[in-house]
Amino acid sequence: QVQLVESGGGSVQAGGSLRLSCAASGDTFSIYVMGWFRQAPGKDREFVAAVRWTGRSTYVVDSVKGRFTISRNTAENTVVLQMNSLQPEDTAVYYCAAGPQELRAYSAVDYRWGTKYPYWGQGTQVTVSS
């Protein structure tokens, strides 16, 4: 089992920045990739970014590319989503998720599917006002 705890959400004005952190514990040896997803009110959950547990490869959805950066802190077993130039449309609950070693058999394009991740955090609210 893997436990995930997100932190760092909050309220900012448009153009501001937030740094989300996801701390992983438990059977972290079973993690292959970590992902960030978000869900806005009335909308489906969407993929935001992913990073392999080694920290060597990252993937970011086009809508946030250039504004969001994902990274892995190997010393602390955490994954960070740095969000800059935030816009009101970024308002959502942000979730981190852990994907197992079985994801080695998939290409990176498959990291966007939430069904590939069996472990999820509780979510953290991000609110961006105009």
Side-chain angles (χ1 to χ4, degrees):
Q1 294 292 319
V2 175
Q3 294 79 43
L4 303 172
V5 178
E6 302 103 334
S7 61
S11 298
V12 296
Q13 290 190 329
S17 298
L18 283 173
R19 183 180 175 91
L20 304 184
S21 183
C22 176
S25 61
D27 297 335
T28 58
F29 63 86
S30 68
I31 299 173
Y32 180 68
V33 65
M34 294 285 293
W36 281 98
F37 293 77
R38 66 186 181 185
Q39 187 165 21
K43 295 188 176 181
D44 293 335
R45 181 180 62 194
E46 66 171 343
F47 170 77
V48 177
V51 59
R52 291 185 183 168
W53 192 237
T54 60
R56 294 174 183 171
S57 300
T58 63
Y59 312 90
V60 181
V61 71
D62 286 346
S63 62
V64 304
K65 197 168 290 183
R67 300 189 297 122
F68 291 12
T69 303
I70 187 171
S71 60
R72 158 94 200 282
N73 184 328
T74 56
E76 298 181 356
N77 274 354
T78 59
V79 173
V80 172
L81 185 69
Q82 178 65 45
M83 305 186 296
N84 299 326
S85 300
L86 283 161
Q87 299 301 317
E89 53 265 34
D90 296 316
T91 295
V93 177
Y94 285 70
Y95 299 89
C96 72
Q101 294 292 329
E102 286 80 357
L103 283 176
R104 290 178 179 271
Y106 295 87
S107 61
V109 69
D110 292 314
Y111 297 166
R112 70 185 60 191
W113 303 116
T115 53
K116 302 295 185 188
Y117 299 79
Y119 304 111
W120 292 80
Q122 81 285 356
T124 185
Q125 177 70 47
V126 170
T127 303
V128 185
S129 58
S130 57

